[in-house]
Amino acid sequence: MKPQYFVGILFVSSLYWMYLLYAPFLLGMIIAALLAISTSNIQNFFEKLLKSKFLAALISSFLLAVLFFVPLGYFLAALSIKLNSMDPAVFKNIEIFIKEFLQAPPEYLSFLKPYTDNFMKEISVNSIASYALSLTGNIGSLSAGYLKNSFLVIIFYFFAQYNGGFVVDFLKRVVQMSAEETTLLAKELSSVMSVVFYSIIVNAMFQGILFGIAISFMGYNGLLFGIMYGFASLIPVVGGVLMWLPFALYEFSTGNSSNAIFIALYSVVVISVIADTFIKPFIIKEINLRLLDEDDAKMNELIIFFAIIAGLSTFGFWGMILGPAITAFFLTILKLFEARTKEYEST
């Protein structure tokens, strides 16, 4: 057996065992690496300011931890206080509203009446309260899972920032590509991920502010529910509905029909249609123009927009990072194939 074949077999075997060993942490490592690529400009800024790679990586990781943990911590604390202080009469009003609506539905929903008779028997204050408690428990478990994954991502992110340069240089030497091709691949991925990272943050903050301002005029905690809407906006299609629909139902149950109609129309028209569908691509385009230099590779804002949606639909929360990264990687590989084809045809 030739020595190179033996080394190849050893490499494949070790790669398989490495995958088994690190499979539970693989997603976190990938997300951390992509976040490190996205925020490399922040790392470079602190590194030049502090003259220390370690301190720069430490501060960058702290800022990312604040971004992940502080909004969620405030949300959980405020939500727990709100649920514990909620008047039981609220559940009674919701029960009455739902039963009255199902007993005399609008004409265009009258065909559903035969199916709602059994459902009405199951509606009670206890069932609504138990559902609210179970929903709170589910939110708590999901938040715990989010906190665990975020903590691991931040740990991996620190090491990616601290040792990223060494890893990139090593990969450039190992992969069977020219220096120009590896530089192009790294540059395109870094450019796209930077635009994606900042556009996601700006868009979530923008939609959260819009919802928080509207809900604060109705007497609710605008900061709390603005943060909640910002996180919910990352969920494609149904993210906004998960926020405004409970408010509309509650306002209807208390007799404030005008408030219920306002929050529903405002959320659908202003936030979902105007802000998310029309303004979001312009936010991506503006960040694309301001963040990247003229010689940097730029991806069309609509491609980034649909890549974020596809990533969220396929991979869940972290898909907003994975979707654009996979798309950028694929398009860059196509460019490399195009360049090699032209080089082959010219010879």
Side-chain angles (χ1 to χ4, degrees):
M1 181 183 292
K2 293 184 178 181
Q4 56 266 36
Y5 293 159
F6 180 71
V7 172
I9 293 172
L10 289 179
F11 174 75
V12 172
S13 301
S14 62
L15 192 63
Y16 171 74
W17 288 108
M18 286 287 286
Y19 171 76
L20 291 181
L21 179 63
Y22 291 102
F25 310 103
L26 195 58
L27 180 61
M29 291 178 176
I30 294 173
I31 297 299
L34 293 174
L35 286 175
I37 294 172
S38 306
T39 57
S40 57
N41 54 347
I42 297 177
Q43 171 71 13
N44 293 335
F45 170 77
F46 284 121
E47 198 169 332
K48 290 179 181 178
L49 181 66
L50 302 173
K51 309 298 182 183
S52 171
K53 197 175 187 68
F54 176 81
L55 290 178
L58 195 63
I59 293 177
S60 298
S61 302
F62 174 76
L63 292 176
L64 189 67
V66 169
L67 179 66
F68 279 165
F69 293 137
V70 170
L72 185 63
Y74 175 78
F75 156 66
L76 291 176
L79 183 63
S80 300
I81 295 172
K82 186 69 176 178
L83 289 174
N84 289 331
S85 61
M86 186 172 288
D87 189 353
V90 171
F91 297 110
K92 185 64 178 178
N93 292 334
I94 295 175
E95 176 195 0
I96 294 172
F97 169 74
I98 294 175
K99 284 187 174 181
E100 288 179 351
F101 181 83
L102 294 178
Q103 285 174 350
E107 290 187 8
Y108 58 87
L109 294 178
S110 59
F111 68 95
L112 294 176
K113 197 171 189 314
Y115 303 98
T116 59
D117 292 337
N118 292 330
F119 179 69
M120 287 179 57
K121 299 176 182 177
E122 299 176 1
I123 297 177
S124 65
V125 174
N126 292 333
S127 64
I128 295 174
S130 62
Y131 175 76
L133 291 174
S134 65
L135 182 62
T136 305
N138 291 333
I139 292 174
S141 62
L142 289 173
S143 301
Y146 169 82
L147 289 172
K148 183 196 73 172
N149 293 332
S150 299
F151 178 76
L152 291 175
V153 166
I154 290 169
I155 296 298
F156 295 139
Y157 174 83
F158 169 79
F159 287 104
Q161 290 285 33
Y162 186 59
N163 299 309
F166 169 77
V167 174
V168 171
D169 292 338
F170 175 75
L171 290 177
K172 285 183 178 181
R173 296 194 304 267
V174 170
V175 296
Q176 299 299 311
M177 298 170 64
S178 65
E180 292 79 9
E181 290 175 335
T182 54
T183 301
L184 174 64
L185 184 62
K187 192 172 184 179
E188 293 233 356
L189 190 60
S190 175
S191 301
V192 172
M193 293 313 301
S194 296
V195 172
V196 168
F197 179 77
Y198 294 112
S199 62
I200 286 172
I201 293 176
V202 171
N203 183 67
M205 291 177 61
F206 178 57
Q207 293 191 34
I209 289 171
L210 287 177
F211 188 79
I213 291 173
I215 213 73
S216 62
F217 283 111
M218 298 168 59
Y220 296 101
N221 187 332
L223 179 60
L224 169 64
F225 295 111
I227 291 173
M228 290 175 64
Y229 197 98
F231 277 101
S233 66
L234 301 175
I235 304 173
V237 183
V238 298
V241 179
L242 296 176
M243 285 301 305
W244 65 258
L245 184 58
F247 282 101
L249 290 175
Y250 174 73
E251 291 294 330
F252 267 125
S253 68
T254 56
N256 297 322
S257 302
S258 57
N259 284 350
I261 295 173
F262 164 75
I263 196 62
L265 290 177
Y266 177 85
S267 300
V268 172
V269 177
V270 176
I271 301 180
S272 298
V273 176
I274 297 177
D276 194 43
T277 306
F278 294 107
I279 297 181
K280 185 176 181 179
F282 286 102
I283 291 175
I284 297 174
K285 182 178 181 179
E286 189 66 21
I287 294 175
N288 208 350
L289 293 174
R290 291 181 176 273
L291 192 63
L292 304 181
D293 299 326
E294 292 185 1
D295 59 337
D296 286 338
K298 294 181 175 68
M299 184 185 292
N300 184 275
E301 57 272 8
L302 289 178
I303 295 178
I304 296 176
F305 174 69
F306 287 115
I308 293 173
I309 293 176
L312 287 167
S313 302
T314 305
F315 299 106
F317 178 79
W318 295 115
M320 62 182 177
I321 301 294
L322 289 174
I326 294 171
T327 305
F329 184 80
F330 174 74
L331 294 177
T332 306
I333 294 299
L334 286 182
K335 288 184 179 180
L336 295 179
F337 272 116
E338 181 186 22
R340 288 198 173 188
T341 302
K342 289 182 179 179
E343 182 181 346
Y344 175 78
E345 291 175 350
S346 62
T347 57

